[in-house]
């Protein structure tokens, strides 16, 4: 009976942990991420809709809405380094996943516009 309980718990743990994914925010050291955002060769991409982008965005950012990410795979493949951001990070994280699934490396999850702007404004 005890063996069955341990076996059940082992299988349950394996299923639970195999489905967990590592957040993109955890894949890079914060100090290194700040260097990436501030690097002039980094392309900053705001994945919000054009209306939000025109109201306010990060310095030097380009607008490629989440709905158009797959249409611009070649653009992303031609960039040295890209940081994607949006309002709260949800769309940016989805965009990073889409790009990585399509073989685009060197893309980073920048979370929100506020986060990217705060990094840009640090002295």
């Amino acid at each position: 009976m005890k063996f069955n309980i341990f076996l059940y718990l082992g299988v349950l743990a394996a299923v639970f942990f195999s489905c967990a994914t590592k957040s993109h925010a955890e894949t890079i050291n914060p100090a290194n991420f700040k260097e990436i955002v501030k690097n002039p060769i980094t392309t900053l991409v705001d994945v919000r809709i054009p209306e939000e982008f025109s109201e306010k965005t990060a310095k030097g950012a380009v607008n490629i809405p989440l709905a158009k990410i797959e249409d611009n795979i070649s653009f992303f493949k031609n960039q040295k380094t890209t940081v994607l951001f949006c309002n709260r990070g949800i769309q940016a994280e989805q965009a990073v996943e889409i790009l990585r699934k399509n073989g685009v490396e060197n893309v980073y999850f920048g979370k929100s516009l506020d986060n990217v702007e705060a990094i840009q404004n640090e002295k």
Side-chain angles (χ1 to χ4, degrees):
M1 183 69 168
K2 286 184 181 181
F3 176 75
N4 288 342
I5 291 172
F6 285 115
L7 180 63
Y8 175 75
L9 289 175
V11 169
L12 186 62
V15 168
F16 177 76
F17 289 111
S18 67
C19 293
T21 58
K22 191 171 189 180
S23 167
H24 297 294
E26 297 172 346
T27 60
I28 187 163
N29 177 317
N32 292 346
F33 182 70
K34 288 178 182 182
E35 291 175 20
I36 290 169
V37 170
K38 290 182 174 189
N39 190 326
I41 68 164
T42 297
T43 303
L44 300 175
V45 178
D46 186 335
V47 300
R48 300 175 305 151
I49 60 174
E51 293 80 12
E52 292 174 309
F53 176 80
S54 65
E55 287 176 15
K56 181 181 178 184
T57 194
K59 289 178 239 159
V62 297
N63 183 222
I64 302 176
L66 176 61
K68 301 284 185 184
I69 292 294
E70 286 187 275
D71 298 337
N72 289 282
I73 298 296
S74 60
F75 168 82
F76 289 102
K77 286 186 176 182
N78 289 324
Q79 305 307 306
K80 295 272 186 198
T81 309
T82 306
V83 172
L84 292 92
F85 64 92
C86 60
N87 284 326
R88 293 181 297 158
I90 296 167
Q91 291 179 320
E93 189 168 27
Q94 292 172 348
V96 168
E97 289 176 18
I98 290 167
L99 292 170
R100 289 189 177 161
K101 285 179 184 174
N102 282 282
V104 180
E105 305 293 327
N106 295 332
V107 291
Y108 298 94
F109 173 52
K111 297 179 189 168
S112 67
L113 168 59
D114 291 340
N115 184 55
V116 172
E117 282 185 316
I119 293 169
Q120 286 181 324
N121 294 330
E122 281 183 358
K123 295 195 180 190

